[in-house]
Amino acid sequence: MSDQLSIAAEPRERAGKGASRALRREGRVPAVIYGDKKEAQAIHVEARALNKLLGTGHFMNSLVEVDVNGVKTRTLPKDVAFDPVTDRPLHVDFFRLAKGAKVQVNIPVVFINEEASPGLKRGGVMNVVRHELDLMCDADHIPDQIEIDVTGLEIGDSIHISHITLPEGSESAITDRDFTIAGVTAPSALKSSDDASEDGDVEETEVTEQNADTVEGEDS
């Protein structure tokens, strides 16, 4: 499970683009806390502290306790806007969590035991369709990652969401289909060899048919 993160914040007295630009010049990032059927709260956080949390690599999938002048609110980051040129954070949305809440998050997948896959050992390639899974999780039990065991997979085998045992308290947010997560495909060299072999069979067949037509013509 991802560790709970925390960040200090201060109320934002003024709204608007001018006020937000002024905050950024002071090394602050405008933000908002919303959700749980309560009024949205405009705040700002220190840019350096926010960048430190972003650097963890799992900011968007972690509980973040926002401390506004001593009042702590448990949240889940929902969106971070970045400057397209400098890549600096411009604004953050924090979703306020109710007690016992379930949240929708994207959790990265990690493949294990690749050395135990006959298909990969023969030179097959792991074709990853989904690098993350869209899950509904208990807010207190958000997994860091989902490990997928590829033991025994042959070339041509695929992994669907129905093959995965998700952690307790987690379920797929996509329920209308048994979607593919990954599969083991043949290496390009093997594909090229198979294609060439098929082309050779076709050419041989065409030559045989042409020879047959020639023989029939001579007989007549």
Side-chain angles (χ1 to χ4, degrees), residues 193-215:
S193 175
D194 291 342
D195 292 342
S197 176
E198 291 177 1
D199 291 342
D201 292 342
V202 172
E203 292 175 358
E204 183 178 348
T205 301
E206 291 176 348
V207 170
T208 302
E209 291 176 349
Q210 290 173 359
N211 290 340
D213 290 342
T214 301
V215 171

Side-chain angles (χ1 to χ4, degrees), residues 42-117:
I43 59 172
H44 56 91
V45 299
E46 184 186 31
R48 186 167 50 183
L50 176 61
N51 283 322
K52 184 177 180 180
L53 297 188
L54 290 169
T56 64
H58 54 82
F59 176 70
M60 299 301 294
N61 294 329
S62 298
L63 296 182
V64 178
E65 185 179 73
V66 181
D67 186 341
V68 185
N69 292 338
V71 179
K72 299 177 180 179
T73 303
R74 199 173 63 152
T75 72
L76 183 73
K78 275 299 183 180
D79 185 56
V80 182
F82 293 93
D83 186 290
V85 177
T86 64
D87 206 33
R88 293 184 307 170
L90 299 177
H91 191 276
V92 189
D93 290 351
F94 293 101
F95 182 74
R96 189 184 289 113
L97 295 176
K99 186 175 181 179
K102 292 186 78 74
V103 293
Q104 187 169 349
V105 289
N106 292 319
I107 305 298
V109 297
V110 175
F111 299 95
I112 61 173
N113 296 328
E114 295 187 2
E115 69 283 355
S117 164

Side-chain angles (χ1 to χ4, degrees), residues 8-46:
E10 295 180 14
R12 189 152 38 107
E13 304 297 340
R14 294 184 299 129
K17 293 182 178 180
S20 294
R21 282 194 295 267
L23 284 171
R24 296 185 189 107
R25 285 195 297 268
E26 297 171 1
R28 311 291 295 184
V29 179
V32 64
I33 302 174
Y34 70 98
D36 194 22
K37 300 179 181 179
K38 298 178 182 178
E39 185 177 351
Q41 182 180 15
I43 59 172
H44 56 91
V45 299
E46 184 186 31

